[in-house]
Structures are given as structure tokens and as C-alpha cells.
Amino acid sequence: DADVTQTPRNRITKTGKRIMLECSQTKGHDRMYWYRQDPGLGLQLIYYSFDVKDINKGEISDGYSVSRQAQAKFSLSLESAIPNQTALYFCATSDRTGLRGQYFGPGTRLTVT
Amino acid sequence: AQTVTQSQPEMSVQEAETVTLSCTYDTSENNYYLFWYKQPPSRQMILVIRQEAYKQQNATENRFSVNFQKAAKSFSLKISDSQLGDTAMYFCAFMNRQTGANNLFFGTGTRLTVIP
């Protein structure tokens, strides 16, 4: 089984709709992250969490919110989706050392029409 | 703030040949790690190799090696004996260890095509 899972894998939604992307991990890591990938821009950090009680904004948090329901679960919400939020979204985890980098989920392709 | 620059949007290499992908970064920190990630068409992000800034020795993982020049803030990836499965996007990434957050800052990527 995959260590980091994301649901859904693909989603098409309409402008103005609320949508939640979910991430679960079995690696036992305390740090979790949400990234967005746009063509030609690499990955950009949206939010990150040290643990359940510690959530921080990343580079591009406007229009997004997150919830860390448990150590293993970290959800990303778009309160009112807009077309320029069409992108590939990745969840990732890291242990405290960071020595092995981050472990990434398979990604969610989100299209906002 | 940290910035990571990959100046080669696309590259190609003949199968079995060697190719080098470039990466430069800008930081005022001393405690950091550098990584190369591979993203094949499946879109999964796969760690290729890492380098700890305090280590002078260049990291090597089988056919993949890096040339880490700390003073020049350069971190290039060399792929030897290129294989068709190496075709992918390659991202250079920087991790600042100072804050403990382990956030990654990515370059914009290099699309590598291995030609049979």
C-alpha cells in the first residue's frame, strides 16, 4: 500500500464550488505539506503543518484553507473555486530530520471550469 | 528567501550517453539540504539524490551523481548511461534546516528526453 494517499485523484468542479482534497499517510511523520504544481512553475508551497496543533501558511495560501484532523490526515479546501486554481496538487510528508526529503502522494488533478 | 534556478527548460540525450542538468540556488543559510526529484509521466514525485550542505563529498546513487559547489551555490545532476526510463521532469529542491519546518523550495524543472 502507498505511504501517502490522496483523494480524489482527479476532479472537475465549477467556479464558486467548495471542494476538499484529502491526504492520508502511514509513515508516522509529524510534518505534512500541500503543494500546487502549475506548468512551467515547479511546485509551490500552499500550507504546512508541524503537527496537529501547528499549521502555517506557505508561499501561496490565498484562496485555500487546511485542516489537520489527526497526525495522519491533512486536508486542503478551496472555499470558492476559481479557474486559476486549476492545477496539480500534491500532499507530502517529512520526518523531523528532513534527511530523506519529503514523501509525496500521487497528486490530485483539479480542473475548475 | 530561498530561490532555486534551473536554466535548462528542456534537454535531450542519446540512450547510454551522459547528461548533466544544472541548478543554482540563493540562500544566506548554512544548514540546508539539496535534492533532485524526478517526475515521470505518471506524475509521481520520486527522490533521486540528496546532498547535505555540510558534506564536501559529492553524493552518488548508482548512475546518478551530483557536483555540489557550495561557494558557487551550484548543484548539478549527472546521469550516466542514460536509459529510456530516465525520461522525466527533473526538479532541483532546497530545504532550509534552520527552521525545522523542512519546507522544500523547487526550481521550475528540466524536461529530459532520452532518445533511443
Side-chain angles (χ1 to χ4, degrees):
Chain A
D1 288 339
D3 296 319
V4 184
T5 57
Q6 292 184 232
T7 56
R9 294 293 310 278
N10 295 282
R11 179 74 182 268
I12 301 174
T13 192
K14 294 183 182 293
T15 297
K17 293 291 188 181
R18 183 179 189 276
I19 184 168
M20 179 181 288
L21 309 182
E22 298 185 338
C23 175
S24 294
Q25 54 120 342
T26 58
K27 298 199 70 67
H29 290 165
D30 52 1
R31 288 155 173 74
M32 297 187 74
Y33 311 83
W34 276 103
Y35 291 91
R36 166 180 171 157
Q37 184 180 18
D38 295 282
L41 290 181
L43 280 74
Q44 296 174 281
L45 182 64
I46 306 173
Y47 271 94
Y48 63 101
S49 172
F50 279 86
D51 59 36
V52 175
K53 298 179 181 179
D54 190 346
I55 294 177
N56 302 274
K57 293 182 177 181
E59 306 165 80
I60 54 164
S61 59
D62 287 350
Y64 301 95
S65 62
V66 291
S67 173
R68 185 86 182 261
Q69 301 94 324
Q71 188 200 32
K73 297 183 182 296
F74 193 35
S75 301
L76 176 72
S77 293
L78 286 68
E79 297 301 327
S80 179
I82 56 177
N84 75 1
Q85 291 178 313
T86 293
L88 185 57
Y89 290 85
F90 284 100
C91 175
T93 73
S94 171
D95 66 16
R96 294 186 179 188
T97 70
L99 195 54
R100 294 179 175 80
Q102 294 180 4
Y103 293 84
F104 285 82
T108 295
R109 173 76 65 188
L110 177 66
T111 303
V112 183
T113 61
Chain B
Q2 287 79 31
T3 58
V4 179
T5 302
Q6 293 179 251
S7 58
Q8 305 153 314
E10 295 187 13
M11 294 189 72
S12 61
V13 62
Q14 292 285 340
E15 193 175 6
E17 296 295 310
T18 296
V19 64
T20 298
L21 309 184
S22 301
C23 173
T24 58
Y25 59 95
D26 188 22
T27 185
S28 57
E29 303 292 341
N30 279 314
N31 185 9
Y32 57 89
Y33 300 152
L34 295 162
F35 302 90
W36 280 96
Y37 278 86
K38 169 185 178 181
Q39 187 180 41
S42 66
R43 78 192 189 197
Q44 180 70 51
M45 294 290 288
I46 302 165
L47 178 64
V48 175
I49 198 166
R50 75 161 186 268
Q51 176 77 42
E52 294 124 270
Y54 57 84
K55 289 189 175 181
Q56 291 186 336
Q57 185 174 5
N58 289 324
T60 299
E61 289 285 344
N62 301 313
R63 297 183 296 108
F64 299 89
S65 61
V66 300
N67 183 3
F68 174 48
Q69 301 290 327
K70 189 172 183 179
K73 296 181 182 175
S74 171
F75 182 59
S76 61
L77 174 70
K78 185 172 81 171
I79 306 174
S80 304
D81 185 24
S82 297
Q83 301 175 358
L84 296 178
D86 295 333
T87 292
M89 282 289 290
Y90 287 82
F91 292 97
C92 177
F94 174 99
M95 178 186 284
N96 179 4
R97 288 288 299 135
Q98 205 66 32
T99 65
N102 299 343
N103 295 342
L104 286 174
F105 296 88
F106 287 87
T108 51
T110 296
R111 183 176 301 281
L112 177 67
T113 302
V114 179
I115 302 167

